[in-house]
Amino acid sequence: MRETVSKLVALQAIDDEGRGFHEERDSLQAKIVRLKELLDLMEEGLAEKRLKLEEASRWYREKDGELKVDQEKVNRAKTRLQAVTKNKEYMAMQKEIESLRKANLAREEEILKLVEAMDEFKASIASEEKKIAELKAEVSAEEKSNAKRLEELATFIDGINSRKRVVEKELKPALVSRYRRIFKARDGRAVVPVTANSCPGCNYACPPQQVVRLRKALTLETCRHCSRILYWVDPPEVEEDAA
Ligand SMILES: [Zn+2]
């Protein structure tokens, strides 16, 4: 068991060595991921605005078509008016033309407002497009500048992993899985040396019987509280001064 424990300790030491590389890689990648998420969000917003503009354009075409039809009506009525001789009929037609003209005027105003709103929309889309282009450039610059370091880190991490595989091969697969589980659940500290008869991971005091077993190192001992694998290290001998 002593040998198994020392292999687990070695595994933990290799993982400790790799921690900094992993953290640096994760933080470099996280920054890119954050920027890309922001970019996605902005692109979603832009797509929504474009859709709204399209809707407004459709509505504009519809209203504009209606206006043209009504203007045509007014023109036709005016032509007919010239041929009318009876006074009563003339008055009635003129009234009709007037009401058509008023309706068209209201419609024209409506269309004008719509055109203004569409112009604002177009401007906002253009500024959004510019922001997105800038952010895209930032992301690609960031990716480019990180690429070299990420490559270096990948090489370091590969080295660490292959060293780990060598040690892992000498351990039972079930124990390796257990190590990984604890490693993941306990902040990357799966194997810890007993300190002052306690687990340094969670400060839980080992029962005296366990301390005895830990010192014998014939069994695999784990912390009863946090499940970390524990091992015993004899305290350094105090040199007695003969003088
Ligand atoms: Zn513990």
Side-chain angles (χ1 to χ4, degrees):
M1 191 49 65
R2 214 176 272 274
E3 210 175 316
T4 302
V5 170
S6 76
K7 275 168 192 156
L8 285 168
V9 172
L11 202 54
Q12 178 71 65
I14 299 171
D15 267 326
D16 288 343
E17 226 180 289
R19 182 168 295 126
F21 300 140
H22 278 278
E23 280 170 1
E24 192 182 343
R25 184 192 62 182
D26 291 351
S27 90
L28 285 178
Q29 283 172 341
K31 195 176 175 197
I32 302 282
V33 167
R34 270 199 309 278
L35 286 173
K36 281 186 174 167
E37 277 170 357
L38 181 63
L39 200 58
D40 281 349
L41 222 62
M42 285 169 81
E43 275 178 338
E44 253 172 57
L46 180 65
E48 222 168 274
K49 275 184 186 166
R50 279 186 179 138
L51 213 68
K52 276 186 184 162
L53 179 64
E54 217 172 280
E55 258 171 49
S57 303
R58 225 180 357 253
W59 204 60
Y60 166 80
R61 281 194 297 274
E62 217 173 88
K63 292 280 156 193
D64 199 47
E66 284 171 12
L67 181 67
K68 284 201 174 93
V69 168
D70 285 348
Q71 275 168 343
E72 196 48 47
K73 269 187 201 164
V74 173
N75 290 342
R76 271 205 307 274
K78 276 181 181 164
T79 315
R80 279 210 315 276
L81 193 64
Q82 285 165 4
V84 169
T85 48
K86 282 178 189 149
N87 203 32
K88 204 176 162 193
E89 208 179 325
Y90 188 88
M91 295 290 278
M93 277 199 76
Q94 218 171 21
K95 215 171 160 190
E96 192 197 325
I97 288 170
E98 187 53 28
S99 89
L100 268 171
R101 218 181 47 83
K102 268 187 188 157
N104 282 354
L105 219 61
R107 216 193 282 277
E108 266 170 20
E109 246 167 66
E110 212 180 337
I111 289 173
L112 214 65
K113 271 187 202 149
L114 186 61
V115 169
E116 267 171 35
M118 278 164 67
D119 282 346
E120 269 171 38
F121 247 88
K122 280 176 193 163
S124 131
I125 285 173
S127 98
E128 204 84 340
E129 277 170 345
K130 194 171 163 249
K131 273 188 214 153
I132 286 175
E134 281 166 4
L135 188 60
K136 266 187 185 163
E138 196 188 321
V139 171
S140 81
E142 190 77 32
E143 273 179 321
K144 215 172 154 188
S145 80
N146 288 350
K148 196 167 172 272
R149 185 58 187 158
L150 280 171
E151 217 173 282
E152 277 173 2
L153 289 169
T155 309
F156 294 149
I157 289 167
D158 280 350
I160 296 268
N161 286 342
S162 61
R163 275 166 61 204
K164 270 173 69 181
R165 273 195 296 277
V166 171
V167 181
E168 281 170 354
K169 263 189 210 151
E170 293 169 358
L171 290 163
K172 282 186 183 144
L175 191 54
V176 174
S177 311
R178 190 163 154 201
Y179 170 88
R180 286 186 186 152
R181 259 200 319 278
I182 306 169
F183 185 86
K184 234 177 158 176
R186 300 284 177 226
D187 292 330
R189 289 177 76 206
V191 184
V192 287
V194 173
T195 312
N197 290 351
S198 299
C199 163
C202 69
N203 292 323
Y204 186 83
C206 304
Q209 278 308 308
Q210 191 179 32
V211 173
V212 172
R213 287 198 304 274
L214 276 157
R215 297 185 78 148
K216 284 184 186 161
L218 298 172
T219 47
L220 189 70
E221 295 297 324
T222 55
C223 172
R224 287 185 186 185
H225 185 249
C226 72
S227 306
R228 284 187 176 94
I229 297 163
L230 299 170
Y231 65 98
W232 185 263
V233 181
D234 282 321
E237 277 176 44
V238 181
E239 277 182 42
E240 280 183 42
D241 212 341

